[in-house]
Amino acid sequence: MRDAIDRSGIMEMMDEVGEKLAEVKLARDRAAARDRAARDAVAQAQCDRAAFDQAWADRAEHQRQQLRDMNKRAAEFYGRTGR
């Protein structure tokens, strides 16, 4: 009888350890998911910034071309030689 009581106590302790282990695994999985989400957000932010920088550079180049063309037309209109 005493042996059966000891085994049931050990089984309870093992069940508690198993539950705690499951909680730890769940917490670890959640932390890993948060870490992945944070890395994905950083990667997306870097991608967005690169796209913005490219669009800004394209816009600046387009404005430079427009200014160059406008200056050329103005020079031709006023009779000055164009470049």
Side-chain angles (χ1 to χ4, degrees):
M1 176 99 174
R2 180 89 174 131
D3 193 33
I5 293 173
D6 288 342
R7 286 187 185 168
S8 68
I10 291 173
M11 294 306 287
E12 280 183 37
M13 288 176 29
M14 289 181 67
D15 289 342
E16 289 176 15
V17 168
E19 290 172 9
K20 294 293 183 186
L21 182 60
E23 289 176 16
V24 168
K25 286 181 180 179
L26 183 61
R28 188 180 61 208
D29 291 345
R30 286 180 181 162
R34 281 193 305 270
D35 186 49
R36 278 192 304 277
R39 279 186 273 137
D40 291 345
V42 168
Q44 184 62 46
Q46 289 172 339
C47 183
D48 290 348
R49 179 59 194 219
F52 174 81
D53 288 345
Q54 184 62 46
W56 189 267
D58 291 346
R59 177 180 171 272
E61 180 59 30
H62 180 70
Q63 286 180 334
R64 278 192 291 277
Q65 289 175 356
Q66 284 182 323
L67 182 60
R68 187 173 46 240
D69 293 344
M70 185 178 66
N71 286 339
K72 184 178 177 183
R73 285 193 305 273
E76 290 171 358
F77 178 78
Y78 290 111
R80 292 180 252 146
T81 59
R83 292 186 226 177

